[in-house]
Amino acid sequence: MKVRIGVAVGGALAPPVDELGELIDGLERLRFDSIWLPETLVAGTFDPMVGLGYAAARASRLKLGMHLIVPGKNPLGLARAMAELDQLSGGRLLTTAVLGLDLPAERAAQGRPTGDRGRELEAVLAVMRRLWAGETVTEEVAGTSLLEASLPVLPRQQPLEIWLGGGSEAALRRVGRIGDGWLPGVVGLEQAVAQRAVIDDEAAAHGREISREHFGMNIAYSFDPIPPEVLAPVAARAKGVDPAWLVPVGRAALRDRIAAWVEAGFTKFVVRPAVAPTDWRAELERLADAVVDLQT
């Protein structure tokens, strides 16, 4: 099993624009597996396509991960942009497709204040995969009319994998039906193992099997005590799990937490500071010392 560790940068954690290059350089130099940029529309963060395009040109090895909002997007435009980014980066693109934050301002900006975003995500992904396979598509998808639509450039990776997140019953079954992997967050170990079984059962029911290498976890951490106001939202979402377990504090706790997830069969990790660092360079040095050697 290949253990890989990437670092998420975005939202309130995002550094100033003129520091992104130094952060990318640090991730590459310190041998992290990937950089991850989450997409939000109202909260301040880097647009993942722009930020990862910059990272693709600046770093030669670092993989390029994004938590990408799919509902509300033009499937042809999104498929083309992703295919071109994957080609230009030499096949380094990693993607977790998301519904978008369930907040009124975000949903309004997304153009989907109401409606079934999960169903739209599935419809858009189905069309994008056909386009990435070289097909010509002529139909209407999620309000977008496609007339003899095809791509001038196909992804370097064939297939270009799309992982999913979420822990609701609908989200888990969606992973089993159409996902290439699962990357959730804010979930306890025993709960995640039980949820993985739901995914596996749904996949088997549809004649599919998701690789054991394709189960991961988003992990927030801190090297210093966490302010109560930062931990409170985690506690509200924890559903009976000790938030202190979900957000390890200190080098030893972070290593122990990753080791516990690996023992349970989860091997791909996206870690992020629970509190925005004042010095990203120093933060990456401490984080690399704590976890990079856990990669296999």
Side-chain angles (χ1 to χ4, degrees):
M1 301 283 278
K2 298 177 181 178
V3 176
R4 297 289 184 265
I5 299 174
V7 179
V9 180
L13 302 177
V17 172
D18 59 1
E19 294 181 15
L20 180 60
E22 183 179 356
L23 190 151
I24 292 167
D25 294 346
L27 290 169
E28 176 105 334
R29 174 177 56 84
L30 294 168
R31 306 299 297 177
F32 285 98
D33 180 69
S34 52
I35 180 173
W36 284 79
L37 300 183
E39 182 175 22
T40 58
L41 299 176
V42 176
T45 188
F46 295 104
D47 180 280
M49 291 291 186
V50 175
L52 295 182
Y54 179 56
R58 186 153 184 138
S60 61
R61 178 200 57 81
L62 192 68
K63 293 174 188 169
L64 314 170
M66 57 181 169
H67 302 291
L68 182 71
I69 296 173
V70 172
K73 297 286 180 61
N74 180 301
L76 176 60
L78 185 57
R80 177 171 180 168
M82 293 176 66
E84 292 174 357
L85 180 54
D86 192 57
Q87 271 290 350
L88 291 170
S89 68
R92 286 183 281 152
L93 183 61
L94 306 173
T95 303
T96 298
V98 300
L99 300 179
L101 295 177
D102 194 15
L103 300 172
E106 285 286 334
R107 293 191 66 155
Q110 189 180 341
R112 296 297 185 271
T114 61
D116 189 339
R117 293 182 298 168
R119 181 174 298 178
E120 183 172 336
L121 180 147
E122 294 192 31
V124 171
L125 285 189
V127 169
M128 293 202 311
R129 283 170 165 158
R130 290 169 58 191
L131 291 167
W132 289 333
E135 291 186 32
T136 297
V137 179
T138 305
E139 58 192 74
E140 181 171 312
V141 180
T144 301
S145 296
L146 304 177
L147 180 63
E148 297 296 323
S150 61
L151 299 181
V153 175
L154 298 181
R156 177 75 166 268
Q157 300 178 75
Q158 288 290 344
L160 181 56
E161 295 177 348
I162 301 294
W163 290 32
L164 302 172
S168 68
E169 183 78 10
L172 296 173
R173 296 199 177 280
R174 183 180 302 119
V175 179
R177 286 197 310 276
I178 68 170
D180 294 307
W182 186 46
L183 189 68
V186 192
V187 59
L189 190 147
E190 292 183 1
Q191 183 184 17
V193 170
Q195 291 175 333
R196 183 178 60 191
V198 174
I199 292 171
D200 287 339
D201 288 346
E202 185 73 10
H206 287 79
R208 308 178 68 235
E209 181 179 3
I210 298 177
S211 168
R212 293 296 89 185
E213 297 275 3
H214 289 190
F215 288 89
M217 192 62 53
N218 288 288
I219 300 177
Y221 74 92
S222 180
F223 290 122
D224 303 301
I226 302 175
E229 63 271 18
V230 174
L231 205 55
V234 178
R237 296 173 58 193
K239 298 178 181 178
V241 181
D242 183 359
W245 195 93
L246 294 171
V247 186
V249 176
R251 181 182 188 277
L254 177 56
R255 289 178 65 87
D256 288 348
R257 206 69 75 250
I258 291 176
W261 282 114
V262 171
E263 180 67 22
F266 294 78
T267 59
K268 306 301 183 290
F269 303 98
V270 178
V271 300
R272 63 175 180 84
V275 179
T278 56
D279 183 340
W280 264 105
R281 177 185 292 184
E283 183 72 20
L284 290 183
E285 294 283 353
R286 294 178 73 183
L287 184 59
D289 176 70
V291 303
V292 164
D293 68 306
L294 298 176
Q295 297 184 115
T296 57

